[in-house]
Amino acid sequence: MGLGWWRFLFASSCAWAQSGEIKPTPWVQNPVARHTACPVAANKPTVCTLYGAEDGNLPLEFRINSLPKEGVLYETSGVFRMFGSDPKHTPDPIGPHLLPFLITDPLHRIVYVPPYNQWPPEGAWSSFTYVVQLNLTSFYGAGLPSAATATTTIGPISEPGLVVFTNPEGSIAASSFDLEAGGDGWSVSGNLADLDTTDGGLKHHAFAWGALNRYVYGTDEVQFLDFGSAMDRSKWYFEAPESSFTGTSMTAAYGGTMRFTVRSLYGNFTELNAPLDWVTIECAACDSGSGARMVRFADDYLRWDGSERTVELRLSPVEGWMRDPLNSALDFTYASECEMAAILSNVSRVAILGDFTRSGEGVAIDNVAIFQPPPSKQPMYPVECQKGCPCRRHNPDIVRPTCC
């Protein structure tokens, strides 16, 4: 038996012998730092409550994990905790050198002060993250653990929960198109007449027309029809800007609404394309990077005849959103709570259909906005969805919210 064979046996029997496989980091499912959102007015210190969930309803401690890029965070003041009066916050803000910062307010509240003397944004001001962990002081009281519980160890730190500070109306992302010569980063996709332009042929009008006041529009100048079905083989869409309508801040939109005003400039709305995928929201990182998409189709409950209309869609399963199987051999299914929550947790695309008719049409949109749920209903993001789902497509042992 040669020296090489003994080396093989020795390496095989050692605990430190590794295969080289990089194991994924486990996802902490309990406790949960819940996602939430708080509307904030200009120059107004705003109190925002953080929420945690623990399967055994055990007490938790809350720690700020990151700070907002705009504005500052404070602890609540003693007078506010006792009497609910001003000043709401302590004199000194929470600085980066204090992270992770333990929140001492017994009701888990913090105070956000937006940038001084700035108009509220069309969308969110900023956001930050926090974590929760079992609070052993509250669990044991002032004394030491008893012999029966002396072996109890502190539980894991939760995955970060996201807090989004929206504008006073609760908007997370919005475009009013009020700038004289701007489309606010919007573009048109699928317009065969303007493939070589960066905006796809999007046009901006700086005047009022009914409920539309400074708006953008697109026109369908070239049709690509299927002669068998007489339907458009290529449809055009309004594409929302990535700078404001994508990213993790849309997590706070679950249970909220999407709203926009639409009106046709011209077109025969008695001859419609089918299907009419009116609004599409995508998450490229979902399902282990395979992507996920949910669509709200026009149907008997959501129609449009080309006249001026303000559309409001709830971002929850009751609205009738459909999950795209991303496979032409499979049928669309109604999106579940966790499927919708997963897509909203990291949005990569928001699109509004413009190509409704089988012939040429012109369509204008205005005041596109995505809103958080009302503060009285926070937090709305489902706890079970934050705990994650098995990534069945690639590795069922991996659990992530984006695999739901």
Side-chain angles (χ1 to χ4, degrees), residues 29 338 384-385 387-392 398-404:
Q29 296 182 288
C338 289
E384 293 304 317
C385 304
K387 291 182 177 181
C389 303
C391 298
R392 298 182 180 87
I398 300 176
V399 174
R400 295 288 187 274
T402 54
C403 288
C404 292

Side-chain angles (χ1 to χ4, degrees), residues 250-258 313-318 340-341 344 371-374 377-378 380-382:
M250 289 298 166
T251 302
Y254 183 90
T257 56
M258 178 177 179
L313 305 173
R314 290 166 292 182
L315 295 170
S316 64
V318 297
M340 291 191 63
L344 291 173
F371 298 92
Q372 67 163 81
K377 295 185 178 180
Q378 294 288 350
M380 281 286 287
Y381 198 99

